[in-house]
Amino acid sequence: MTPKERMTAFLSGQEIDRLPCCPSLGETCAPLFGMKTSTYYRSAECMAEIEIEVFNRFRPDGAGIGMGLRAMPEAMGAKVGYPDYGIAYIQEPLLKDYDDIKHLRRIDPWRDPCLSMILRANQMVQDAIGNQVAVSSGIVGPFTLAAAIRGFENLLRDIYKNPQAVHDILAVVTENNLRYIDSACSLGLGTGIGDPVASGSMISPEHFREFAKPYLKICIDRIRKWTGSGGRLHICGKTKNLWNDMVDCGASILSIDNIEDLEEAKQAVGDRVCLMGNVDPVKTIKEGTVADVHREVRECIRKAQNNPRGFIISSGCQIPIGTPGANIQAMMDAA
Protein backbone atom coordinates (compact mmCIF):
# COMPACT_ATOMS: atom_id res chain seq x y z
CA MET A 1 0.00 0.00 0.00
CA THR A 2 1.09 3.59 -0.51
CA PRO A 3 1.08 5.68 2.66
CA LYS A 4 -2.07 7.43 1.41
CA GLU A 5 -3.85 4.14 0.75
CA ARG A 6 -2.72 2.80 4.13
CA MET A 7 -3.93 5.80 6.13
CA THR A 8 -7.21 6.05 4.23
CA ALA A 9 -7.95 2.41 4.95
CA PHE A 10 -6.74 2.68 8.54
CA LEU A 11 -8.93 5.68 9.36
CA SER A 12 -12.00 3.99 7.86
CA GLY A 13 -11.43 0.75 9.78
CA GLN A 14 -10.43 -1.37 6.78
CA GLU A 15 -7.66 -3.94 6.57
CA ILE A 16 -4.12 -2.58 6.18
CA ASP A 17 -0.77 -4.20 5.36
CA ARG A 18 1.02 -2.91 8.49
CA LEU A 19 0.58 -0.43 11.33
CA PRO A 20 1.02 3.19 10.20
CA CYS A 21 4.27 4.87 11.22
CA CYS A 22 4.59 8.66 11.36
CA PRO A 23 7.78 9.83 13.09
CA SER A 24 7.67 13.55 13.93
CA LEU A 25 10.21 15.05 11.54
CA GLY A 26 10.09 18.42 9.75
CA GLU A 27 12.69 21.20 9.93
CA THR A 28 15.00 19.14 12.14
CA CYS A 29 15.73 16.99 9.07
CA ALA A 30 17.12 19.91 7.05
CA PRO A 31 20.75 19.37 8.20
CA LEU A 32 20.41 15.67 7.37
CA PHE A 33 20.05 16.72 3.73
CA GLY A 34 22.81 19.35 3.85
CA MET A 35 20.66 22.42 4.49
CA LYS A 36 20.90 24.96 7.31
CA THR A 37 17.67 25.39 9.28
CA SER A 38 18.05 29.16 8.82
CA THR A 39 17.87 28.56 5.05
CA TYR A 40 14.93 26.18 5.44
CA TYR A 41 12.83 28.71 7.35
CA ARG A 42 13.19 31.47 4.76
CA SER A 43 12.08 29.71 1.59
CA ALA A 44 8.92 27.85 0.56
CA GLU A 45 10.97 26.01 -2.04
CA CYS A 46 13.49 24.85 0.59
CA MET A 47 10.75 23.72 2.98
CA ALA A 48 9.08 21.74 0.21
CA GLU A 49 12.40 20.29 -0.97
CA ILE A 50 13.23 18.90 2.48
CA GLU A 51 9.73 17.48 3.04
CA ILE A 52 9.80 15.75 -0.35
CA GLU A 53 13.32 14.40 0.32
CA VAL A 54 12.21 13.10 3.73
CA PHE A 55 9.24 11.32 2.21
CA ASN A 56 11.19 9.80 -0.67
CA ARG A 57 13.92 8.53 1.64
CA PHE A 58 11.92 7.24 4.61
CA ARG A 59 8.34 6.78 3.28
CA PRO A 60 6.51 7.87 6.46
CA ASP A 61 2.72 7.61 6.46
CA GLY A 62 2.22 11.36 6.64
CA ALA A 63 3.81 14.49 5.19
CA GLY A 64 3.48 18.24 5.39
CA ILE A 65 4.90 21.41 6.91
CA GLY A 66 3.44 22.82 10.10
CA MET A 67 3.63 26.37 11.38
CA GLY A 68 6.08 25.41 14.15
CA LEU A 69 6.34 27.37 17.36
CA ARG A 70 7.53 30.58 15.76
CA ALA A 71 5.39 31.29 12.66
CA MET A 72 2.19 32.59 14.26
CA PRO A 73 3.98 34.74 16.88
CA GLU A 74 6.12 36.16 14.09
CA ALA A 75 3.01 36.90 12.04
CA MET A 76 1.62 38.75 15.06
CA GLY A 77 4.79 40.86 15.37
CA ALA A 78 7.19 38.90 17.60
CA LYS A 79 10.93 38.98 16.90
CA VAL A 80 12.25 35.54 15.99
CA GLY A 81 15.81 34.24 15.99
CA TYR A 82 16.96 31.88 13.24
CA PRO A 83 20.13 29.93 14.15
CA ASP A 84 21.91 28.17 11.31
CA TYR A 85 21.59 24.76 12.96
CA GLY A 86 18.79 24.99 15.49
CA ILE A 87 15.07 25.51 15.97
CA ALA A 88 13.81 29.07 15.48
CA TYR A 89 12.97 30.79 18.76
CA ILE A 90 11.13 33.85 20.08
CA GLN A 91 13.73 36.45 21.07
CA GLU A 92 11.54 38.38 23.49
CA PRO A 93 7.86 38.51 24.51
CA LEU A 94 5.71 40.54 22.14
CA LEU A 95 3.07 41.48 24.69
CA LYS A 96 4.67 43.45 27.51
CA ASP A 97 1.58 45.15 28.90
CA TYR A 98 -2.10 44.24 29.23
CA ASP A 99 -3.05 47.47 27.46
CA ASP A 100 -1.37 46.13 24.32
CA ILE A 101 -3.82 43.22 23.99
CA LYS A 102 -6.18 45.34 21.94
CA HIS A 103 -3.35 46.01 19.48
CA LEU A 104 -2.52 42.35 18.83
CA ARG A 105 -2.65 41.60 15.11
CA ARG A 106 -5.51 39.66 13.56
CA ILE A 107 -3.67 37.92 10.76
CA ASP A 108 -4.51 37.09 7.16
CA PRO A 109 -2.49 33.93 6.43
CA TRP A 110 -2.22 34.66 2.72
CA ARG A 111 -0.97 38.22 3.29
CA ASP A 112 1.57 37.36 5.99
CA PRO A 113 5.01 36.50 4.51
CA CYS A 114 5.78 33.67 6.94
CA LEU A 115 2.40 31.91 7.01
CA SER A 116 1.81 32.28 3.28
CA MET A 117 5.26 30.75 2.68
CA ILE A 118 4.25 27.69 4.71
CA LEU A 119 0.97 27.38 2.82
CA ARG A 120 2.75 27.66 -0.53
CA ALA A 121 5.33 25.09 0.54
CA ASN A 122 2.55 22.64 1.38
CA GLN A 123 0.99 23.23 -2.02
CA MET A 124 4.32 22.28 -3.60
CA VAL A 125 4.52 19.14 -1.47
CA GLN A 126 0.94 18.28 -2.38
CA ASP A 127 1.65 18.72 -6.07
CA ALA A 128 4.80 16.57 -5.87
CA ILE A 129 3.76 13.65 -3.64
CA GLY A 130 0.11 14.22 -2.70
CA ASN A 131 -0.93 11.25 -4.85
CA GLN A 132 1.14 9.01 -2.56
CA VAL A 133 0.70 10.51 0.93
CA ALA A 134 -1.78 12.74 2.75
CA VAL A 135 -0.35 16.22 3.33
CA SER A 136 -1.15 18.26 6.43
CA SER A 137 -0.06 21.47 8.12
CA GLY A 138 -0.11 21.35 11.91
CA ILE A 139 -0.85 24.36 14.09
CA VAL A 140 0.23 25.39 17.58
CA GLY A 141 -2.34 25.29 20.36
CA PRO A 142 -3.69 28.55 21.77
CA PHE A 143 -2.13 28.22 25.24
CA THR A 144 1.35 27.72 23.79
CA LEU A 145 0.84 30.66 21.42
CA ALA A 146 -0.24 32.83 24.34
CA ALA A 147 2.92 31.82 26.21
CA ALA A 148 5.03 32.62 23.13
CA ILE A 149 3.74 36.17 22.75
CA ARG A 150 3.40 36.99 26.47
CA GLY A 151 6.36 35.01 27.82
CA PHE A 152 5.87 31.78 29.73
CA GLU A 153 6.65 33.10 33.20
CA ASN A 154 4.51 36.18 32.60
CA LEU A 155 1.60 34.06 31.45
CA LEU A 156 1.78 31.81 34.51
CA ARG A 157 1.77 34.90 36.71
CA ASP A 158 -1.18 36.30 34.75
CA ILE A 159 -3.19 33.13 35.40
CA TYR A 160 -3.28 34.10 39.07
CA LYS A 161 -3.11 37.90 38.90
CA ASN A 162 -5.19 38.70 35.83
CA PRO A 163 -7.00 35.64 34.47
CA GLN A 164 -9.29 37.75 32.30
CA ALA A 165 -6.27 39.13 30.45
CA VAL A 166 -5.16 35.56 29.74
CA HIS A 167 -8.58 34.80 28.28
CA ASP A 168 -8.37 37.97 26.18
CA ILE A 169 -4.99 36.87 24.76
CA LEU A 170 -6.30 33.37 24.13
CA ALA A 171 -9.31 34.73 22.26
CA VAL A 172 -7.05 36.60 19.82
CA VAL A 173 -4.64 33.74 19.15
CA THR A 174 -7.56 31.31 18.76
CA GLU A 175 -9.13 33.59 16.17
CA ASN A 176 -5.82 33.67 14.30
CA ASN A 177 -5.58 29.88 14.48
CA LEU A 178 -9.05 29.57 12.98
CA ARG A 179 -8.00 31.79 10.11
CA TYR A 180 -5.00 29.56 9.42
CA ILE A 181 -7.10 26.38 9.72
CA ASP A 182 -9.53 27.80 7.15
CA SER A 183 -6.68 28.66 4.78
CA ALA A 184 -4.95 25.28 5.12
CA CYS A 185 -8.08 23.17 4.91
CA SER A 186 -9.37 25.13 1.90
CA LEU A 187 -6.29 23.80 0.07
CA GLY A 188 -7.26 20.22 0.95
CA LEU A 189 -4.63 19.95 3.70
CA GLY A 190 -5.29 18.11 6.92
CA THR A 191 -4.20 19.65 10.19
CA GLY A 192 -3.47 18.71 13.78
CA ILE A 193 -2.47 20.57 16.93
CA GLY A 194 0.59 20.61 19.16
CA ASP A 195 0.17 22.48 22.45
CA PRO A 196 3.37 21.72 24.41
CA VAL A 197 3.04 24.43 27.08
CA ALA A 198 -0.43 23.14 28.06
CA SER A 199 1.37 20.13 29.55
CA GLY A 200 0.60 18.67 32.94
CA SER A 201 4.30 19.23 33.58
CA MET A 202 3.62 22.98 33.33
CA ILE A 203 0.09 23.69 34.56
CA SER A 204 -2.48 22.01 36.79
CA PRO A 205 -5.47 20.07 35.42
CA GLU A 206 -7.71 22.85 36.76
CA HIS A 207 -5.80 25.49 34.82
CA PHE A 208 -5.80 23.27 31.75
CA ARG A 209 -9.58 23.05 31.91
CA GLU A 210 -9.98 26.80 32.29
CA PHE A 211 -7.30 28.18 29.98
CA ALA A 212 -6.39 25.50 27.44
CA LYS A 213 -9.28 23.11 26.91
CA PRO A 214 -12.00 25.54 25.73
CA TYR A 215 -9.74 27.10 23.11
CA LEU A 216 -8.38 23.76 21.92
CA LYS A 217 -11.95 22.61 21.45
CA ILE A 218 -12.78 25.65 19.32
CA CYS A 219 -9.82 24.86 17.03
CA ILE A 220 -10.59 21.14 16.86
CA ASP A 221 -14.26 21.82 16.12
CA ARG A 222 -13.16 23.95 13.14
CA ILE A 223 -10.83 21.21 11.90
CA ARG A 224 -13.66 18.69 12.19
CA LYS A 225 -16.02 20.99 10.29
CA TRP A 226 -13.60 21.04 7.36
CA THR A 227 -12.28 17.47 7.39
CA GLY A 228 -14.81 15.34 9.27
CA SER A 229 -12.06 14.39 11.74
CA GLY A 230 -10.74 16.03 14.89
CA GLY A 231 -7.15 15.49 13.78
CA ARG A 232 -4.17 14.81 16.02
CA LEU A 233 -3.56 16.45 19.38
CA HIS A 234 -0.08 16.33 20.92
CA ILE A 235 0.84 17.78 24.30
CA CYS A 236 4.36 17.28 25.59
CA GLY A 237 5.39 15.92 28.96
CA LYS A 238 3.07 14.52 31.59
CA THR A 239 -0.50 14.33 30.34
CA LYS A 240 -2.01 11.36 32.20
CA ASN A 241 -4.23 13.64 34.29
CA LEU A 242 -5.34 15.41 31.09
CA TRP A 243 -6.13 12.46 28.80
CA ASN A 244 -9.90 12.54 29.32
CA ASP A 245 -9.95 16.31 28.85
CA MET A 246 -7.85 16.04 25.69
CA VAL A 247 -10.27 13.49 24.28
CA ASP A 248 -13.21 15.69 25.32
CA CYS A 249 -11.74 18.40 23.08
CA GLY A 250 -12.68 16.21 20.13
CA ALA A 251 -9.30 15.02 18.89
CA SER A 252 -9.41 11.84 16.81
CA ILE A 253 -5.76 10.92 17.50
CA LEU A 254 -4.03 11.35 20.85
CA SER A 255 -0.25 11.67 20.52
CA ILE A 256 1.46 10.57 23.74
CA ASP A 257 4.89 11.81 24.86
CA ASN A 258 7.42 9.09 25.67
CA ILE A 259 7.36 10.12 29.34
CA GLU A 260 3.93 8.46 29.59
CA ASP A 261 2.93 4.80 29.15
CA LEU A 262 0.97 3.69 26.10
CA GLU A 263 -0.56 0.75 27.93
CA GLU A 264 -1.97 3.06 30.59
CA ALA A 265 -3.33 5.37 27.90
CA LYS A 266 -4.96 2.40 26.19
CA GLN A 267 -6.68 1.40 29.41
CA ALA A 268 -7.76 4.97 30.19
CA VAL A 269 -9.00 6.34 26.85
CA GLY A 270 -8.28 3.72 24.17
CA ASP A 271 -11.96 3.02 23.66
CA ARG A 272 -12.49 6.68 22.75
CA VAL A 273 -9.49 7.69 20.65
CA CYS A 274 -6.72 6.41 18.39
CA LEU A 275 -3.33 6.46 20.14
CA MET A 276 -0.06 7.63 18.61
CA GLY A 277 3.48 7.31 19.96
CA ASN A 278 5.77 7.07 21.66
CA VAL A 279 9.38 6.05 20.93
CA ASP A 280 11.86 8.23 22.85
CA PRO A 281 13.12 10.78 20.28
CA VAL A 282 16.36 11.60 22.11
CA LYS A 283 17.60 8.62 24.11
CA THR A 284 16.50 6.03 21.56
CA ILE A 285 16.11 7.58 18.10
CA LYS A 286 18.92 10.16 18.25
CA GLU A 287 21.39 8.55 20.66
CA GLY A 288 20.54 4.83 20.46
CA THR A 289 21.52 2.11 18.05
CA VAL A 290 19.45 0.64 15.26
CA ALA A 291 18.79 -2.32 17.56
CA ASP A 292 17.58 0.06 20.29
CA VAL A 293 15.12 1.64 17.87
CA HIS A 294 13.79 -1.74 16.76
CA ARG A 295 13.44 -2.84 20.38
CA GLU A 296 11.45 0.22 21.47
CA VAL A 297 9.19 0.21 18.41
CA ARG A 298 8.35 -3.43 19.18
CA GLU A 299 7.59 -2.51 22.79
CA CYS A 300 5.23 0.28 21.69
CA ILE A 301 3.49 -2.15 19.35
CA ARG A 302 3.18 -4.73 22.12
CA LYS A 303 1.50 -2.19 24.36
CA ALA A 304 -0.86 -0.50 21.93
CA GLN A 305 -1.40 -2.58 18.77
CA ASN A 306 -4.75 -3.81 20.11
CA ASN A 307 -5.98 -0.37 21.12
CA PRO A 308 -9.74 -0.44 20.41
CA ARG A 309 -9.63 2.75 18.33
CA GLY A 310 -6.33 2.02 16.59
CA PHE A 311 -2.65 2.79 16.99
CA ILE A 312 -0.09 4.76 14.97
CA ILE A 313 3.62 4.28 15.66
CA SER A 314 5.42 7.58 16.19
CA SER A 315 8.10 9.32 18.17
CA GLY A 316 7.15 10.74 21.56
CA CYS A 317 7.95 14.24 20.28
CA GLN A 318 9.87 15.83 17.41
CA ILE A 319 13.02 13.99 16.43
CA PRO A 320 16.00 16.29 17.14
CA ILE A 321 18.61 17.77 14.86
CA GLY A 322 21.59 15.45 14.61
CA THR A 323 19.59 12.23 14.54
CA PRO A 324 21.26 9.65 12.25
CA GLY A 325 19.27 8.89 9.15
CA ALA A 326 19.86 5.18 9.81
CA ASN A 327 17.88 5.44 13.06
CA ILE A 328 14.94 7.13 11.36
CA GLN A 329 15.04 4.39 8.74
CA ALA A 330 15.22 1.81 11.52
CA MET A 331 11.95 3.13 12.91
CA MET A 332 10.23 2.64 9.55
CA ASP A 333 11.87 -0.77 9.08
CA ALA A 334 10.72 -1.87 12.53
CA ALA A 335 7.15 -0.92 11.67
Side-chain angles (χ1 to χ4, degrees):
M1 296 178 111
T2 66
K4 191 168 192 175
E5 290 169 341
R6 184 176 298 113
M7 287 305 298
T8 300
F10 173 78
L11 294 172
S12 60
Q14 299 175 27
E15 185 176 348
I16 53 176
D17 57 342
R18 65 159 172 82
L19 285 173
C21 185
C22 299
S24 182
L25 301 168
E27 66 262 52
T28 55
C29 281
L32 188 61
F33 292 91
M35 185 183 293
K36 295 177 180 178
T37 51
S38 56
T39 302
Y40 171 96
Y41 284 124
R42 291 186 171 94
S43 163
E45 289 76 14
C46 289
M47 290 180 179
E49 177 188 335
I50 293 300
E51 193 63 19
I52 293 164
E53 290 272 13
V54 165
F55 176 75
N56 287 335
R57 177 165 172 181
F58 301 117
R59 301 289 292 182
D61 289 309
I65 299 146
M67 65 165 62
L69 297 179
R70 101 294 175 197
M72 184 64 78
E74 184 173 34
M76 295 177 67
K79 294 180 180 179
V80 176
Y82 289 98
D84 282 342
Y85 294 100
I87 300 293
Y89 61 95
I90 309 299
Q91 292 180 322
E92 60 183 51
L94 169 67
L95 189 64
K96 296 182 174 62
D97 190 273
Y98 297 133
D99 292 336
D100 295 332
I101 293 174
K102 59 181 176 290
H103 301 302
L104 287 174
R105 292 180 192 170
R106 273 67 171 177
I107 57 96
D108 178 342
W110 282 111
R111 290 178 180 269
D112 174 74
C114 184
L115 295 177
S116 63
M117 183 169 59
I118 293 169
L119 291 169
R120 287 188 290 108
N122 276 300
Q123 285 182 297
M124 295 176 196
V125 174
Q126 207 168 31
D127 290 344
I129 58 175
N131 62 324
Q132 302 176 68
V133 64
V135 180
S136 61
S137 182
I139 66 168
V140 177
F143 192 79
T144 298
L145 287 177
I149 65 172
R150 177 66 178 137
F152 177 64
E153 291 182 3
N154 293 333
L155 189 72
L156 290 189
R157 193 179 303 117
D158 296 343
I159 284 174
Y160 294 96
K161 290 191 170 185
N162 197 338
Q164 185 54 53
V166 177
H167 284 292
D168 292 343
I169 298 167
L170 286 163
V172 177
V173 297
T174 300
E175 179 186 337
N176 283 341
N177 262 355
L178 296 179
R179 294 181 180 200
Y180 186 83
I181 290 167
D182 290 344
S183 298
C185 291
S186 69
L187 297 175
L189 301 172
T191 189
I193 303 178
D195 205 354
V197 180
S199 168
S201 302
M202 303 285 193
I203 58 175
S204 68
E206 292 74 24
H207 284 149
F208 179 88
R209 292 174 193 125
E210 180 177 354
F211 296 105
K213 184 176 178 178
Y215 302 96
L216 277 171
K217 189 175 188 311
I218 290 169
C219 294
I220 290 171
D221 284 348
R222 183 64 66 89
I223 294 169
R224 186 175 293 278
K225 181 179 177 181
W226 274 99
T227 67
S229 165
R232 176 186 70 102
L233 174 59
H234 176 82
I235 297 179
C236 296
K238 295 179 180 179
T239 52
K240 186 188 302 185
N241 291 339
L242 308 177
W243 287 339
N244 279 298
D245 292 297
M246 292 167 70
V247 177
D248 288 344
C249 290
S252 298
I253 300 169
L254 202 63
S255 173
I256 305 291
D257 191 296
N258 52 280
I259 200 171
E260 297 287 19
D261 187 85
L262 281 173
E263 201 150 20
E264 290 184 20
K266 179 178 69 176
Q267 297 301 324
V269 293
D271 60 337
R272 300 175 61 200
V273 69
C274 176
L275 295 178
M276 184 172 184
N278 68 346
V279 180
D280 190 320
V282 178
K283 184 178 178 181
T284 301
I285 303 176
K286 181 185 178 185
E287 299 175 354
T289 64
V290 165
D292 292 332
V293 176
H294 276 262
R295 190 179 305 112
E296 192 165 338
V297 170
R298 286 195 208 98
E299 181 65 4
C300 289
I301 292 172
R302 183 191 69 77
K303 290 181 175 182
Q305 65 177 331
N306 61 345
N307 187 61
R309 297 299 294 271
F311 172 57
I312 300 170
I313 304 161
S314 186
S315 45
C317 200
Q318 188 169 28
I319 292 173
I321 291 173
T323 297
N327 282 8
I328 300 172
Q329 186 62 55
M331 190 171 177
M332 298 306 305
D333 291 345

